[in-house]
Amino acid sequence: MDKLAIQGGRRLEGEISISGAKNAALPILCAALLTEETLHLDNLPKLKDISTTLTLLGHIGTQICLDEQGSIDLLADRLSTLQAPYELVKTMRASILVLGPLLTRYGEAMVSLPGGCAIGSRPVDLHIKGLKAMGADITIERGYIHAKAGRLKGARIFMDSVTVTGTENLMMAATLAEGITVLENAAREPEVEDLANCLIAMGADIRGAGTDTVTIHGVSRLHGAAYSIMADRIETGTYLVAAAMTQGKITLHRTRPDTLDAVIEKLREAGAKISCSNNSITLSMDRRPLAVTIKTAPYPAFPTDMQAQFMAMNCIATGVGSVTETIFENRFMHVQEMQRLGANIEIEGNTALVRGVDKLDGATVMATDLRASASLVLAALVAQGETVIERIYHIDRGYECIEEKFNQLGAHVKRIQRTGSGS
Ligand code: UD1
């Protein structure tokens, strides 16, 4: 397995471009299953989760033509199977996003249950409940969700907690259902809206995406379309925090400042100066950050996917900051690793109290999940000496060319490639 070796202590300065959003690309790729015509996408990020999704779509029978510039054509005119096997689903929970499209277009789907994952149990009961409300007959057989239906029927579906992929799955299923579906307490994440915009370009009738009530008038078929995937707000936020921690000055291009209000506000509270244009953000920081208090919640509140990075910033900040996680029950696994670097963090329930220290010291640490890994990179950028981060395959799931981008900003990040099994 690859490792990253990072020499800390360098101030970040310069400009980079942000990639397409992983969490928008994943459902949008699955939307290709909704039509027998070609879906053309631009700004697809080069990430492990994207290649896993393409493997799954290819397994189902989708023809895929990908170029080096991040453009892709997907054609799902004749599928070979309606089954998403455990081997593919277990590596990436978002594989559940093929369930809605397969069921609504073909009347049947067999998708492996995703099972547990490092950051909590993450059930899919709301996806299943919503599809049942639309008339699907769903059974769980030997670890698989087996769903069958004639044409799905529009329904009013209230989701008792906010789920991003749940909203996306049901929205895709509803596009080809008979009649009107209303999704209440829907996720308002910008990625849900991006998916809706792609579906609308394919001929779907969707109103209210980006609000908590989404109304979908089912149509009899969707057609091909060309669509460009939105910029990744979590990648953007991660680089902004890195610049704040290293007291640097960076400009991020090809991004969407309008999707980052909660993150930008907290960075300003920490002392950063931030200016935005339509599609770029400049951050400069001329002091040690001030500790901030954050509490994660569904969009537009502070994103859980930025929690670990802000925890890293609090570790070296002036003062004491508390970090409360309300979305996932086990999302503090980075704490132990940060403590190995000298951080002062105390956990009580779902809150971590972080007392800023004057310095962190490089050490060997282990990446445990995607955003936790990113937070360790940030901590390593300010730690004295070298930090080695093991198991960085988690980072490659969600950050395109992370070492190239950081090095372009003046960091010293080296990938150590390991070949051979089990290493
Ligand atoms: C998505 C994002 C992930 C982000 C998360 C929360 C993608 C591919 N991933 O994950 O990066 O961290 O949103 O913003 O977009 N829940 C249920 N029942 C369900 C579904 C969810 O109880 O059927 C619970 C989960 O356990 C969790 C909460 O709802 O506590 C939010 O989960 P959800 O929004 O579904 O996360 P994902 O869509 O998997």
Side-chain angles (χ1 to χ4, degrees):
M1 278 179 218
D2 290 2
K3 301 175 181 185
L4 286 182
I6 299 174
Q7 303 292 336
R10 290 170 179 244
R11 177 175 181 267
L12 296 191
E13 192 163 3
E15 307 184 6
I16 54 169
S17 288
I18 293 303
S19 301
K22 169 179 89 71
N23 286 354
L26 297 178
I28 288 175
L29 287 170
C30 296
L33 296 172
L34 290 164
T35 172
E36 75 278 8
E37 293 180 10
T38 300
L39 178 63
H40 174 89
L41 301 174
D42 293 315
N43 206 29
L44 188 70
K46 289 192 198 77
L47 299 170
K48 185 77 183 86
D49 274 8
I50 299 297
S51 49
T52 304
T53 305
L54 294 179
T55 305
L56 175 58
L57 294 175
H59 169 86
I60 292 170
T62 312
Q63 294 170 54
I64 295 165
C65 183
L66 179 65
D67 78 12
E68 274 302 298
Q69 276 68 53
S71 295
I72 190 169
D73 284 335
L74 300 126
L75 177 61
D77 57 347
R78 268 167 301 153
L79 296 190
S80 42
T81 173
L82 298 175
Q83 186 167 348
Y86 176 67
E87 292 66 44
L88 290 170
V89 176
K90 74 171 181 200
T91 62
M92 194 191 62
R93 208 187 119 78
S95 310
I96 190 76
L97 286 164
V98 300
L99 178 62
L102 285 179
L103 180 64
T104 197
R105 179 150 162 237
Y106 292 91
E108 187 170 357
M110 283 243 315
V111 179
S112 170
L113 278 168
C117 88
I119 60 174
S121 65
R122 299 178 87 177
V124 289
D125 56 309
L126 297 169
H127 302 231
I128 293 174
K129 218 169 125 194
L131 293 172
K132 278 187 175 168
M134 295 169 82
D137 178 16
I138 300 186
T139 50
I140 308 292
E141 291 163 21
R142 293 189 295 146
Y144 279 76
I145 303 165
H146 191 181
K148 276 187 167 179
R151 188 173 179 199
L152 290 174
K153 294 202 168 33
R156 178 184 161 273
I157 300 168
F158 173 78
M159 287 165 281
D160 60 13
S161 62
V162 176
T163 159
V164 176
T165 49
T167 301
E168 292 165 346
N169 232 341
L170 297 178
M171 190 163 76
M172 288 193 278
T175 57
L176 294 176
E178 186 187 334
I180 302 170
T181 300
V182 181
L183 302 177
E184 291 183 351
N185 199 26
R188 290 181 280 171
E189 268 67 3
E191 294 79 11
V192 174
E193 202 177 343
D194 208 41
L195 169 65
N197 288 337
C198 178
L199 293 169
I200 290 167
M202 295 166 72
D205 183 345
I206 301 173
R207 293 165 210 182
T211 74
D212 62 5
T213 306
V214 184
T215 305
I216 305 115
H217 289 247
V219 295
S220 57
R221 66 180 288 275
L222 295 182
H223 51 70
Y227 192 75
S228 185
I229 292 160
M230 67 177 284
D232 197 311
R233 64 192 166 99
I234 306 301
E235 188 196 20
T236 305
T238 302
Y239 285 103
L240 291 177
V241 175
M245 287 174 71
T246 62
Q247 300 181 34
K249 180 175 183 193
I250 66 167
T251 298
L252 304 176
H253 297 290
R254 300 188 59 189
T255 186
R256 283 267 309 270
D258 61 312
T259 61
L260 280 143
D261 287 348
V263 168
I264 288 174
E265 190 183 309
K266 285 291 165 189
L267 283 166
R268 285 195 171 125
E269 215 177 293
K273 293 191 183 71
I274 298 177
S275 59
C276 303
S277 75
N278 261 354
N279 58 5
S280 77
I281 304 180
T282 298
L283 176 146
S284 67
M285 185 76 153
D286 54 14
R287 52 165 298 161
R288 184 173 162 191
L290 298 170
V292 289
T293 286
I294 62 165
K295 184 175 177 184
T296 66
Y299 191 85
F302 191 90
T304 175
D305 286 350
M306 284 300 302
Q307 177 255 104
Q309 299 88 317
F310 271 73
M311 175 110 67
M313 185 170 77
N314 275 348
C315 286
I316 49 94
T318 306
V320 183
S322 81
V323 175
T324 303
E325 172 60 51
T326 74
I327 309 278
F328 293 115
E329 78 241 31
N330 188 21
R331 212 173 194 181
F332 280 153
M333 281 170 308
H334 39 285
V335 168
Q336 274 192 345
E337 302 302 302
M338 286 177 182
Q339 284 166 338
R340 291 173 51 73
L341 299 173
N344 182 345
I345 308 170
E346 237 174 84
I347 299 182
E348 230 188 88
N350 65 345
T351 297
L353 203 63
V354 189
R355 292 185 175 82
V357 294
D358 290 342
K359 68 174 183 67
L360 297 175
D361 287 312
T364 297
V365 291
M366 199 181 298
T368 48
D369 71 58
L370 172 54
R371 305 306 169 184
S373 316
S375 72
L376 294 176
V377 173
L378 302 190
L381 290 174
V382 294
Q384 292 189 353
E386 183 177 84
T387 298
V388 174
I389 306 178
E390 298 195 335
R391 292 202 187 167
I392 56 138
Y393 59 85
H394 290 291
I395 297 183
D396 296 329
R397 287 186 43 216
Y399 289 89
E400 181 171 331
C401 305
I402 189 159
E403 65 270 35
E404 281 93 331
K405 289 193 184 186
F406 270 123
N407 289 339
Q408 202 174 320
L409 295 173
H412 199 296
V413 182
K414 197 170 144 204
R415 182 177 291 255
I416 303 167
Q417 269 167 344
R418 283 280 183 91
T419 48
S421 61
S423 57

